[in-house]
Amino acid sequence: MKKVLLAFLFCSNAAIAQTIAYPKNYFISPMNVPLDLSGNFGELRPNHFHTGIDITTHGAEGIPVKAAADGYVSRVRIGPWGYGRVLYVTHPNGYTTVYGHLSKFNAALTAFSKMNQYAGQNFEIDFTLQPTQFPVKQGDVIAYSGNTGSSGGPHLHFEIRDAKTEEALNPLLFGFAVKDAVAPTAVTLVVIPADNNATINGVNALKKIPLKQSGSTYVFANAAESITVFGKVGFAIEAYDKESNPTGKNGVYGIRLACDGQTIYSHHLERIPFDKSRFINCFINYEEHEKHNHFYQQSYLLPNNQLPVYDTTVNNGYCFFPTEALHRFTYTLYDVYGNTSTVNFKVKSLAKSPISQSKEVYVPMYRVLAWDTTNFIEENAFLFETPDDAFYRNEIFNFTVDPAKEKAYSAKINFSELIPIQKPCTLTVYATVPDRLKNKAVLALVNKSGGRSYAGGTWNKNGVTAEIKEFGSYIVTVDTTAPVVTPSNFDLKSTSQTSFAALKSIQFKMSDNFSGIASYSAYIDGNWVLMEYEPKKKLLWYTFDEHCGKGKHSLMLTVTDKVGNVTVYKKDFIR
């Protein structure tokens, strides 16, 4: 059987991943807490791979964060999104460690940050530093853990990067003392037809098979299940991993698929370039994720898969069997620490299709989105343009147009949500908007229940043009509502409350109904003061410091949304 298999399988041109030896015991744990992970390297996330490990603090903030090795603070960054407060430390061995979602820096770095925030009159800063500015020794406290940025709860996001390439590396390959004696868990096996003529159990549709553990391996949960295929098919698997002290379902480090004893596909998540992370949308079965929110990891490569994580891909991982036979497959799932699970199953191949009539359907070329070149499609209601490599394979461009409804200035353009986009594409939706509102016109993404979310864009001659990174339903609407700013720790309506002597800070709740907050600035007595922003809590605050002494003062806060609507709040007070 192996000789027959080799007769039609051939090696692909996919990038081949390579494992190198990483220094063990060079880095220490960045906190004096157990290394319990709520997220690991390569964990599957919407539109990206997780590029570090998340060390849980079990709900606590303010735990001292230490430099993992000698080096220097090479970058300081503060912002409301992403990693929030984050530090980068570059080490002499060619690696950089990253510490994200911090509540605050140490005293010296806090002073440096505040000085530059005032100098640039901006809460958000991003500075690259020289080796002599903030050198650190292993174990020095550089910051404190927190929950800033796009964090779902208190924890420390910790990364190790290649200092030259900026690629994210798997920190667990550096010998950290994570307790892990637990093998990965296999959940679902998926068999997928590669074209319209392939069949699985007699039909041209994917087949999902739940799995269960049986001794040292995984088998079909329903013993009566079977797989019979004809034509070109691919396989995918749903799986996760845990540590000995689990706090969640984490990602699987490596997956290997063998057919009749020959490895036809394997990958391991050792390093991930940040500019390739969005290719997760062809690493998983995107359509099933959009429909059912499952991460089925595909064991085959689409044409525009540029991930450098693959060890072996024979025939790009696809299988085609020219004769009727029974084939034995094995999935092997493994983690960094050598814990391994296997899934054994059989597949019967047919020499003749069980479907009497071909499903091939003619599609005009203008309705095909080519993955490897630009596309330009203009219809009465819209114009759609793409760059090279915007998709992972050629896609059929299906759309419908619904007439304009209330509070919409255009037709609703409906694109299939099941097609992933790798690079931003340009969409212009033609519309009729009064001249006085054209500077407020934007695209909105409409969900299935009719809810609208801001999709950006600006007026362009006869419509709104925006860059989009997802398909869905789009309309032109306008945003004329200014942000809402409400005092949080004092009474807005009380004219008698002018004394802030007992307050340590001035706090506001800040929100916007549609496009979102673009900028904000506060002045006391005409001088800019630092307002900090926590979008998860919709909280904006100024902590009284040397820029506001005792006496009478006048505050002016200006908040602007992404369309240019402005709210100005003024308050006189006494300290």
Side-chain angles (χ1 to χ4, degrees), residues 240-251:
Y240 63 86
D241 193 25
K242 287 189 174 184
E243 290 72 43
S244 295
N245 297 318
T247 57
K249 296 178 179 179
N250 297 332

Side-chain angles (χ1 to χ4, degrees), residues 16-215:
I16 301 299
Q18 296 180 350
T19 302
I20 65 173
Y22 295 98
K24 304 294 193 296
N25 304 317
Y26 183 89
F27 297 110
I28 64 171
S29 176
M31 292 189 295
N32 290 329
V33 299
L35 279 174
D36 298 339
L37 306 185
S38 57
N40 67 354
F41 184 87
E43 184 178 318
L44 309 177
R45 304 280 178 90
N47 296 313
H48 71 285
F49 292 92
H50 190 235
T51 53
I53 57 174
D54 287 344
I55 305 171
T56 182
T57 57
H58 298 285
E61 297 188 40
I63 296 173
V65 174
K66 304 176 297 181
D70 292 357
Y72 70 97
V73 178
S74 54
R75 187 179 178 187
V76 176
R77 192 175 178 189
I78 297 176
W81 307 106
Y83 295 161
R85 277 184 172 81
V86 56
L87 292 177
Y88 300 70
V89 177
T90 296
H91 308 280
N93 65 343
Y95 299 105
T96 296
T97 50
V98 183
Y99 312 78
H101 306 306
L102 304 167
S103 60
K104 63 180 180 179
F105 304 146
N106 67 18
L109 288 165
T110 295
F112 170 84
S113 301
K114 186 174 180 180
M115 177 185 69
N116 283 284
Q117 287 171 315
Y118 270 92
Q121 295 191 356
N122 199 333
F123 167 63
E124 299 182 44
I125 59 170
D126 188 353
F127 278 92
T128 300
L129 306 178
Q130 298 302 311
T132 56
Q133 289 180 270
F134 291 99
V136 295
K137 291 292 185 182
Q138 186 178 69
D140 286 352
V141 174
I142 55 176
Y144 298 85
S145 69
N147 186 31
T148 58
S150 304
S151 170
H155 71 279
L156 176 69
H157 175 87
F158 178 71
E159 292 181 14
I160 299 179
R161 299 185 184 183
D162 185 311
K164 289 184 178 180
T165 67
E166 280 293 306
E167 289 178 303
L169 308 174
N170 194 328
L172 299 185
L173 296 171
F174 289 78
F176 289 101
V178 174
K179 294 180 180 179
D180 189 352
V182 180
T185 299
V187 180
T188 310
L189 173 70
V190 187
V191 194
I192 304 168
D195 55 40
N196 290 333
N197 293 315
T199 65
I200 300 156
N201 291 358
V203 296
N204 181 247
L206 62 76
K207 173 72 173 176
K208 304 175 189 176
I209 303 174
L211 303 172
K212 69 176 182 180
Q213 191 167 8
S214 176

